[in-house]
Amino acid sequence: MRKAWWVGVLLGALLVGGCGDPGSDGEGGQGAPPAPAPGDPTDGASQTTRGRAEADRGAREKGDRGEGGDKGERPGGKKAAPVTRPATRPEVLYLGDSLAMENQSDLGTLLRDQVGARYTSAPYSGTTLCDYLEGTGKDSLVPDKDKAATLVRELRPDYVVLQFWGNAWGYTPCMEGITYDKARGRYFSRYAADARRLTGQITDAAREAGGKRPKVVWVSQGPDPMTPDRVRRVNALYRQQAAATGDLVSDAGRSVSPAAARHTWAEKLPCTAYERAHRAYCTEPERDRTALHRSDDPLHFCLAPTTAKSRPCPVRSPGIRRITQAVTDTLRAHATR
């Protein structure tokens, strides 16, 4: 029964994916081909959203619609405590897979509002760490212009935020067919080696550009409903790599985990104080619970219907808000020290 359940969830995950525009097919997303799962490269090279000016404009419009931060108010009209911002505006670069794809607009809004950051994102669905390495050529789902080192030379960021679920199913060619289910030892060894290589390329690129080395921020992942130990070990690799190079870990995955069970998957969790105060984020207020995942997608956090082409999540989604707030808190704490 356990194996049958795992296979069922896996097949479901392969058929669903990252958030898209729910109205892109004219029917609210129904009938559209499935969008990529974290390890699905479908149309990945066309999905990146680089362009700081466009992102800033979108964030302002989102804020005007009440979809961004709390606008400085608490329930009852009382003003919230002011947010402490860094003295200077940090430059933040956000890279990752379909989880980063769905998060990127929300993260940009929070970083601009709460940290005063200048922000660029270049996620590609279906990717893993090796896709952002220089020298991977045609085996990579990320074009040369958006490699981590290339963007570091161009932007000279203060922070490079990396959000990767772990691509356990071997969709990207640069993993050379190494998957968690068939070769666990090789999978973890390769993942750790790629983490070291990517950190090294970021360091070298900053030096070549004549700038200071950016802090790498590894975003820990939430619970994996199919292979809980896998994501636990991936998160441990992030912590080990960060410790070895003096970088940071943002335990954003904890924000979408049960309070007493960090690596236990849950579709819904009790609402937070923020979600109770902003009712659109508390999806079942009568039960004081909110949905982190759609019932047909146990991996992503966007609550919009999926479409063939992954895009930033177009609807308010509690899981995305929790994750992006956790990342923002990590950067703000470091930048204001």
Side-chain angles (χ1 to χ4, degrees):
M1 289 294 292
R2 182 178 179 85
K3 183 176 181 181
W5 175 86
W6 185 89
V7 171
V9 176
L10 174 58
L11 290 174
L14 291 171
L15 293 174
V16 299
C19 286
D21 179 356
S24 64
D25 63 353
E27 297 292 337
Q30 296 182 5
D40 188 342
T42 306
D43 199 27
S46 66
Q47 297 161 13
T48 186
T49 56
R50 278 189 70 199
R52 186 183 299 116
E54 183 176 353
D56 285 341
R57 182 170 60 254
R60 287 195 297 271
E61 292 172 353
K62 189 173 184 180
D64 291 342
R65 295 196 301 270
E67 298 177 18
D70 60 12
K71 295 187 177 182
E73 292 187 2
R74 295 196 183 280
K78 296 180 180 180
K79 290 292 183 181
V83 173
T84 301
R85 293 187 179 184
T88 59
R89 297 182 64 194
E91 181 86 42
V92 179
L93 173 62
Y94 185 41
L95 308 176
D97 55 21
S98 62
L99 296 178
M101 175 66 69
E102 66 182 10
N103 290 348
Q104 60 184 316
S105 293
D106 291 72
L107 181 60
T109 297
L110 290 175
L111 287 174
R112 281 182 285 261
D113 289 350
Q114 299 183 15
V115 187
R118 295 167 294 177
Y119 173 78
T120 302
S121 60
Y124 284 80
S125 294
T127 58
T128 193
L129 298 175
C130 58
D131 287 290
Y132 281 91
L133 289 169
E134 289 189 319
T136 46
K138 65 180 181 180
D139 289 332
S140 173
L141 300 179
V142 176
D144 289 345
K145 67 181 180 66
D146 287 334
K147 298 294 190 183
T150 300
L151 293 177
V152 168
R153 294 187 194 98
E154 175 187 337
L155 300 171
R156 299 188 182 187
D158 299 291
Y159 299 93
V160 178
V161 180
L162 301 176
Q163 166 98 51
F164 290 93
W165 179 81
N167 197 322
W169 298 332
Y171 289 143
T172 178
C174 71
M175 283 296 287
E176 302 174 310
I178 300 172
T179 61
Y180 174 79
D181 62 326
K182 294 181 180 179
R184 295 188 183 184
R186 292 182 64 201
Y187 168 82
F188 288 117
S189 295
R190 173 62 185 275
Y191 209 70
D194 286 344
R196 291 191 296 270
R197 288 183 62 196
L198 188 58
T199 302
Q201 288 191 1
I202 289 171
T203 300
D204 292 344
R207 183 178 62 250
E208 292 163 6
K212 68 177 183 178
R213 180 190 182 279
K215 281 285 184 183
V216 176
V217 182
W218 297 93
V219 180
S220 71
Q221 302 308 293
D224 183 341
M226 291 158 288
T227 53
D229 188 58
R230 184 201 64 81
V231 79
R232 188 194 309 268
R233 293 184 63 180
V234 166
N235 287 341
L237 287 175
Y238 292 158
R239 291 193 298 271
Q240 292 165 9
Q241 181 59 46
T245 51
D247 289 313
L248 305 174
V249 174
S250 179
D251 193 8
R254 182 175 294 278
S255 69
V256 289
S257 305
R262 170 63 177 84
H263 289 96
T264 298
W265 182 87
E267 181 181 334
K268 301 175 182 179
L269 286 178
C271 295
T272 65
Y274 178 91
E275 290 158 359
R276 295 185 196 103
H278 300 77
R279 299 300 289 271
Y281 288 99
C282 187
T283 61
E284 298 179 13
E286 69 283 355
R287 299 178 60 223
D288 193 35
R289 297 182 70 78
T290 198
L292 303 181
H293 305 275
R294 289 174 56 87
S295 61
D296 58 0
D297 185 346
L299 301 179
H300 295 89
F301 295 91
C302 184
L303 298 185
T306 58
T307 60
K309 186 175 182 180
S310 293
R311 296 178 182 177
C313 186
V315 301
R316 280 176 277 196
S317 299
I320 289 177
R321 182 58 171 72
R322 290 183 181 207
I323 290 169
T324 54
Q325 184 63 65
V327 175
T328 299
D329 290 345
T330 298
L331 267 66
R332 183 174 63 217
H334 184 269
T336 56
R337 288 192 312 182

